[in-house]
């Protein structure tokens, strides 16, 4: 039986195939007599799961040799502290404010370094992106932090800023919690990227960090050993017990991604083509509807999270209740923004977005 379409912002829907495979392997992984949750993280079985997951991820995202892939815990919010503890040396770090998540990153970093705001879109209520040419880059910044996709406000960098071209030597730090693997990552512009797994990768509890080699080894002495990138890298993410089941599910998602094709494209390129088609369908319908509205500047609209409003908000509850009845779940907007939000990550098929647009059209016809 087909499941409902789940538009949750996170933890979010996972591919049916992945969940079915995990269910089938729950009691006995590959005939070893143990489920994955019951294995020693240092045993042969789990070592093969973890190394395959890393290899698949490296291939999918074309991660260069001189970057480490770290499987950590604590989520995106813990990284808001872990990044400055590892990279800032207690000095200056530059933050670009584009919405709730980058705001939180900046606030937390202030506990560990001189975290400056070098640009902000607050004047547009987080519906635009400040032009990198106007950023007030600090000459002595240890890094520049951006949020690649603002999950709540629906604002996404369509290409990462080229700091070198702006005259900065600082490494770029990217929070890619909600758009990792939805499009390629240009590693030539990135020093470190981090993200919680629960949007586009797998279960909550796993945090992915991909960091350039030269950025290791500069942690503040107060940095907990388990959060020191050098320590984590030297121990292949097994300094302490890693989130083993999360790594396993992430690995299944990576294999699922590697199997995806779209118009001759494979893997992340296929996902990107699909995400372009899905988001275009939804935005085009909203813009032409006269009944719904999305307020984000077209140049930086997120392909992953589409906030929208009914022009007459008195219909909000009916819209959500009828959506639920049609098997369209978790469309309520974030409380700080209101309205609706459709999160359409990699695991959301085009058919799910078509079903949503069908509901929106039908609802508008009855109430317009
Ligand atoms: C969800 C999210 C976070 C928070 O992640 P936690 O795992 O809850 O700490 C941080 N940044 C972005 C962009 C997110 O979407």
């Amino acid at each position: 039986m087909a499941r409902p379409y789940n538009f949750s912002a996170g933890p979010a829907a996972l591919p049916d195939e992945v969940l079915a495979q995990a269910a089938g392997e729950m009691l006995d992984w590959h005939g070893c007599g143990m489920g994955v949750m019951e294995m020693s993280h240092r045993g042969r079985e789990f070592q093969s799961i973890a190394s395959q997951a890393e290899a698949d991820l490296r291939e999918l995202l074309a991660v260069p040799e001189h970057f480490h892939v770290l499987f950590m815990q604590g989520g995106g919010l813990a990284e808001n502290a872990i990044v400055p503890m590892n990279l800032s040396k207690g000095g200056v770090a530059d933050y670009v404010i584009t919405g709730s998540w980058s705001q939180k990153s900046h606030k937390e970093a202030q506990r560990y370094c001189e975290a400056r705001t070098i640009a902000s879109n607050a004047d547009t209520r987080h519906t635009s992106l400040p032009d990198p040419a106007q950023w007030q880059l600090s000459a002595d910044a240890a890094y520049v932090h951006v949020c690649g996709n603002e999950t709540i406000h629906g604002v996404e960098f369509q290409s990462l800023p080229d700091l070198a071209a702006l005259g900065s030597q600082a490494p770029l730090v990217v929070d890619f919690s909600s758009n990792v693997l939805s499009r390629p990552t240009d590693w030539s512009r990135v020093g470190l990227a981090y993200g919680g797994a629960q949007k586009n990768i797998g279960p909550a509890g796993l945090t992915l960090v991909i960091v350039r080699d030269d950025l290791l080894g500069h942690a503040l002495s107060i940095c907990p050993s388990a959060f020191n990138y050098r320590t984590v890298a030297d121990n292949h993410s097994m300094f302490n017990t890693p989130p083993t089941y999360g790594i396993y599910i992430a690995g299944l998602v990576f294999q699922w991604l590697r199997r995806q094709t779209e118009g001759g494209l494979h893997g992340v390129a296929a996902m990107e083509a699909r995400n372009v088609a899905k988001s275009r369908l939804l935005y085009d319908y909203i813009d032409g509807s006269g009944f719904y509205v999305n307020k984000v500047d077209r140049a930086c609209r997120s392909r992953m999270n589409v906030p929208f409003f009914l022009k007459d908000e008195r219909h909000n509850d009916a819209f959500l209740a009828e959506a639920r009845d049609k098997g369209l779940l978790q469309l309520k907007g974030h409380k700080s923004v209101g309205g609706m939000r459709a999160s359409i990550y990699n695991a959301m098929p085009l058919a799910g977005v078509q079903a949503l647009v069908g509901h929106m059209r039908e609802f508008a016809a009855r109430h317009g």
Side-chain angles (χ1 to χ4, degrees), residues 9-10 74-80 95-109 121 126 145-155 175-178 194 196 198-199 305 334-336 341 345:
L77 288 195
E79 291 302 325
N80 286 345
Y95 281 75
V96 178
I97 305 300
T98 50
S100 299
W101 291 114
S102 49
Q103 252 164 357
K104 283 188 202 235
S105 300
H106 173 247
K107 184 155 186 273
E108 183 75 4
N121 65 356
H126 309 304
H145 179 283
V146 299
C147 178
N149 180 60
E150 288 281 2
T151 319
I152 292 174
H153 291 90
V155 171
D175 176 354
F176 65 0
S177 294
S178 53
Y194 67 87
Q198 69 271 25
K199 315 298 173 44
N305 310 96
H334 190 272
K335 61 184 185 302
S336 65
R341 174 173 49 167
Y345 300 119

Side-chain angles (χ1 to χ4, degrees), residues 213-243:
D213 192 51
D214 61 289
L215 299 177
L216 304 186
H218 308 293
L220 302 177
S221 60
I222 57 159
C223 181
S225 304
F227 292 155
N228 184 318
Y229 294 140
R230 172 90 273 162
T231 308
V232 178
D234 286 351
N235 290 278
H236 302 285
S237 303
M238 302 222 185
F239 171 73
N240 64 328
T241 311

Side-chain angles (χ1 to χ4, degrees), residues 207-364:
T207 313
L208 178 64
V209 176
I210 303 180
V211 54
R212 212 171 62 204
D213 192 51
D214 61 289
L215 299 177
L216 304 186
H218 308 293
L220 302 177
S221 60
I222 57 159
C223 181
S225 304
F227 292 155
N228 184 318
Y229 294 140
R230 172 90 273 162
T231 308
V232 178
D234 286 351
N235 290 278
H236 302 285
S237 303
M238 302 222 185
F239 171 73
N240 64 328
T241 311
T244 53
Y245 201 74
I247 292 170
Y248 159 70
I249 298 287
L252 296 185
V253 170
F254 300 155
Q255 285 171 18
W256 177 82
L257 285 170
R258 290 191 56 186
R259 293 196 295 274
Q260 302 306 304
T261 58
E262 190 72 44
L265 302 168
H266 299 270
V268 171
M271 294 320 302
E272 180 175 42
R274 238 181 255 174
N275 291 326
V276 167
K278 281 152 51 184
S279 54
R280 185 171 293 158
L281 173 66
L282 187 48
Y283 285 118
D284 282 353
Y285 171 69
I286 291 170
D287 290 342
S289 70
F291 189 86
Y292 307 94
V293 60
N294 170 282
K295 299 175 182 172
V296 178
D297 182 351
R298 283 168 201 240
C300 57
R301 284 175 165 180
S302 170
R303 293 176 185 166
M304 297 282 101
N305 310 96
V306 182
F308 63 91
F309 299 86
L310 279 63
K311 285 190 174 161
D312 183 347
E313 298 229 284
R314 287 173 305 180
H315 297 312
N316 281 2
D317 290 344
F319 178 87
L320 288 167
E322 291 178 28
R324 248 186 332 266
D325 289 345
K326 292 176 180 162
L328 306 170
L329 308 182
Q330 307 210 63
L331 283 162
K332 195 174 164 74
H334 190 272
K335 61 184 185 302
S336 65
V337 172
M340 310 296 154
R341 174 173 49 167
S343 295
I344 50 176
Y345 300 119
N346 282 346
M348 176 63 64
L350 178 63
V353 179
Q354 288 167 335
L356 172 60
V357 168
H359 168 57
M360 293 170 73
R361 197 186 299 275
E362 193 263 330
F363 188 89

Side-chain angles (χ1 to χ4, degrees), residues 74-122:
L77 288 195
E79 291 302 325
N80 286 345
I82 296 169
V83 165
M85 278 196 286
N86 276 276
L87 266 50
S88 74
K89 301 174 190 158
V92 171
D94 284 348
Y95 281 75
V96 178
I97 305 300
T98 50
S100 299
W101 291 114
S102 49
Q103 252 164 357
K104 283 188 202 235
S105 300
H106 173 247
K107 184 155 186 273
E108 183 75 4
Q110 288 172 323
R111 305 173 63 174
Y112 303 99
C113 63
E114 189 190 326
R116 294 183 184 154
T117 299
I118 60 157
S120 170
N121 65 356

